[in-house]
Amino acid sequence: MESITAPKRTKAFVVRLYPNAAQQERINCTLGCARFVYNHFLARRIETYKATGKGMGYAETDKHLTLLKKAEGTEWLAEVDKFALQQSLRDLERAYQNFFRTVKQSGKKVGFPNFKKKRTGEAYRTQFTNNNIEVGEGRLKLPKLGWVKTKGQPDITGRILNVTVRRIHETHDEASVLCEVEIPYLPAAPRYAAGVDVGIKDFAIVTDGQEFKHHANPTYYRSSLTQLRKAQKTLSRRKKGSARYGKAKTKLARIHKHIANKRQDFLHKPRVSSQANASCRAFISGLKWEKVRSAQHISD
């Protein structure tokens, strides 16, 4: 009997980074350089098109990036991860391709690439080459950073493709490790079935044909409104750009992150799926998600 090769797919493993002072400074520099490269070549592509009527592609911008690293005044670009800068050029190229596709499909000139600002949620991506990225026990090796302490998913498996380092807020950085993993084959399905009705007031109603189990919506956002109002009011009273403004902004971001973590934890726990897992076939009701989004305030 011939062996069947298991199918493969990409899977992201998210871990929180705990860099030291030098690594934190290098992450900040890399984020700033990636943003600078994106904005610099966006302005250059706009100027080139206005002057010649022709645009610049990724290959041409990549050649100019090499010269920009050697130019006087911008030689500091060579101090950070080169893959992060090249990825900024790829992101710019993808933004242009999305814009061209929108114009071709709708005929409207919308979605033109915008200049990036220094903000929360910035990220840079680095590629796996020559074992420059490694995963250890409670740590992650990244280019130009070395080994960084981590907490999160300990079971990172598969072939590493790339890593995205993202700034959640001022004191919180995360890394998303994208890997190529094999999909295990599932055992043969029994004849039983379960139905799952995804709703708004109730998160889900699960039935095996004999009894119904209602799983309440936890409404994490509503339960945190008092904290959010207080933090938002404090932020609005601070002078923008001051140290106290930065502290208030970080505190507000932490509350939002905490709400997001609770939602993700609720979805990942087998509360709703435990009854459906007893049977192999699960039938989920279909909803028009446009109407669900308009009624989001009911469940949130």
Side-chain angles (χ1 to χ4, degrees):
M1 183 177 179
E2 296 182 0
S3 60
I4 302 175
T5 304
K8 297 181 179 181
R9 66 179 176 90
T10 56
K11 181 179 180 180
F13 301 87
V14 181
V15 296
R16 181 171 177 179
L17 300 178
Y18 291 87
N20 55 35
Q23 291 170 338
Q24 186 67 66
E25 184 179 359
R26 184 56 59 89
I27 291 176
N28 296 339
C29 291
T30 306
L31 291 172
C33 290
R35 183 177 64 252
F36 172 83
V37 167
Y38 185 96
N39 292 339
H40 174 83
F41 283 100
L42 175 57
R44 193 159 185 171
R45 290 180 73 153
I46 294 174
E47 294 173 359
T48 302
Y49 181 78
K50 289 181 179 179
T52 63
K54 298 181 180 180
M56 297 174 63
Y58 168 77
E60 190 174 355
T61 55
D62 190 36
K63 292 179 182 179
H64 284 86
L65 176 60
T66 304
L67 300 176
L68 190 64
K69 291 180 182 179
K70 300 177 182 179
E72 186 177 357
T74 54
E75 62 276 357
W76 38 267
L77 289 174
E79 299 176 1
V80 301
D81 183 12
K82 64 178 182 180
F83 296 110
L85 305 184
Q86 290 174 344
Q87 187 61 45
S88 290
L89 298 181
R90 292 191 181 96
D91 292 341
L92 178 59
E93 179 66 21
R94 188 180 300 111
Y96 263 96
Q97 294 301 325
N98 293 340
F99 168 68
F100 294 147
R101 184 174 61 253
T102 302
V103 173
K104 185 177 180 180
Q105 292 177 353
S106 64
K108 299 179 180 179
K109 294 184 177 181
V110 294
F112 188 80
N114 294 323
F115 290 96
K116 290 187 175 183
K117 300 178 181 179
K118 185 178 180 180
R119 59 178 178 81
T120 301
E122 285 187 291
Y124 75 86
R125 184 176 297 112
T126 182
Q127 301 294 325
F128 176 83
T129 303
N130 298 327
N131 295 325
N132 61 341
I133 301 174
E134 295 181 28
V135 177
E137 186 176 353
R139 58 180 188 166
L140 179 66
K141 182 183 177 183
L142 295 173
K144 297 289 186 177
L145 296 179
W147 289 99
V148 185
K149 291 182 181 179
T150 63
K151 282 186 180 180
Q153 297 180 334
D155 54 343
I156 299 179
T157 58
R159 184 172 66 90
I160 300 175
L161 300 177
N162 59 58
V163 175
T164 301
V165 179
R166 180 172 289 104
R167 166 71 44 77
I168 304 302
H169 54 73
E170 188 176 354
T171 59
H172 189 133
D173 296 318
E174 289 183 353
S176 177
V177 185
L178 187 67
C179 301
E180 186 181 59
V181 298
E182 292 185 353
I183 305 175
Y185 284 100
L186 297 177
R191 296 180 180 179
Y192 303 102
V196 181
D197 181 21
V198 181
I200 297 177
K201 185 177 180 181
D202 290 319
F203 176 76
I205 303 174
V206 184
T207 178
D208 58 358
Q210 297 180 352
E211 62 174 336
F212 292 83
K213 287 189 177 180
H214 293 253
H215 298 269
N217 197 314
T219 62
Y220 293 121
Y221 176 75
R222 286 192 174 189
S223 60
S224 303
L225 278 178
T226 303
Q227 284 182 296
L228 286 171
R229 288 195 188 102
K230 185 177 180 181
Q232 188 66 55
K233 188 179 292 185
T234 302
L235 179 64
S236 65
R237 292 173 177 173
R238 299 290 183 257
K239 184 178 180 181
K240 194 171 184 179
S242 65
R244 299 180 72 192
Y245 180 88
K247 292 180 180 179
K249 186 178 179 180
T250 300
K251 185 176 181 179
L252 178 62
R254 283 177 176 172
I255 298 174
H256 280 292
K257 180 61 178 175
H258 187 57
I259 296 172
N261 288 342
K262 289 193 291 185
R263 284 174 172 171
Q264 190 176 28
D265 181 67
F266 174 78
L267 293 175
H268 284 185
K269 285 183 177 178
R271 294 170 178 167
V272 178
S273 61
S274 58
Q275 186 176 359
N277 283 340
S279 310
C280 99
R281 291 185 181 179
F283 298 93
I284 302 177
S285 64
L287 294 175
K288 293 183 178 180
W289 292 107
E290 292 77 9
K291 294 183 179 181
V292 175
R293 292 192 189 97
S294 65
Q296 182 71 16
H297 64 281
I298 300 176
S299 62
D300 218 358

